[in-house]
Amino acid sequence: ELKEKGLFSIKHLAGSHSEVLLCRLDEVCLAVTSEVTNAHSKVSYSAIVTLGELFVTLKKDMDSEVDEGAQVLLQTVSNSPEFVQKAASQSLGIMVENVTPARAMTALMDMGVK
């Protein structure tokens, strides 16, 4: 429950006070992406939704986080419960729509090859 509350807080901050997150974006994204692979599917789902929200609100500021985000989301799409797979797929779509197109394409191709 604590992790879900923390992820909700990050999601809320992204929507209302994104400047607070920008100064520590690497750390925030690392914390969120590490929870995408959490064994508890509710926490994993919350992290995926939060990651999607970061891509929506921070857009091109998330370019530096695309590699890590694409990696964990692609892994999640292939080996998780169906509702988590669906959320991961949606977040990948959100990522592609909101970051620099060349950056998204490169990350997806690199991760797809691996």
Side-chain angles (χ1 to χ4, degrees):
E1 279 184 39
L2 220 52
K3 287 184 178 190
E4 286 180 89
K5 286 179 183 180
L7 290 163
F8 177 80
S9 295
I10 291 170
K11 189 169 72 167
H12 187 281
L13 274 173
S16 58
H17 300 289
S18 60
E19 68 280 355
V20 172
L21 298 178
L22 286 174
C23 63
R24 298 185 75 179
L25 190 57
D26 287 340
E27 294 172 56
V28 170
C29 287
L30 181 61
V32 173
T33 56
S34 69
E35 295 304 330
V36 168
T37 57
N38 191 298
H40 298 286
S41 54
K42 283 176 63 178
V43 174
S44 176
Y45 177 83
S46 294
I48 291 166
V49 171
T50 301
L51 193 55
E53 184 68 22
L54 289 171
F55 283 118
V56 166
T57 56
L58 300 178
K59 299 190 182 308
K60 306 233 184 301
D61 287 325
M62 287 290 288
D63 277 4
S64 61
E65 308 304 324
V66 169
D67 288 336
E68 183 68 24
Q71 180 181 356
V72 296
L73 291 172
L74 284 170
Q75 288 172 349
T76 304
V77 166
S78 65
N79 59 358
S80 298
E82 188 176 336
F83 78 101
V84 175
Q85 288 179 0
K86 186 176 179 178
S89 181
Q90 288 174 334
S91 288
L92 277 167
I94 290 167
M95 178 193 79
V96 168
E97 291 173 10
N98 288 285
V99 299
T100 303
R103 191 73 193 96
M105 184 177 72
T106 302
L108 290 173
M109 287 174 53
D110 287 349
M111 294 307 128
V113 169
K114 291 178 184 173

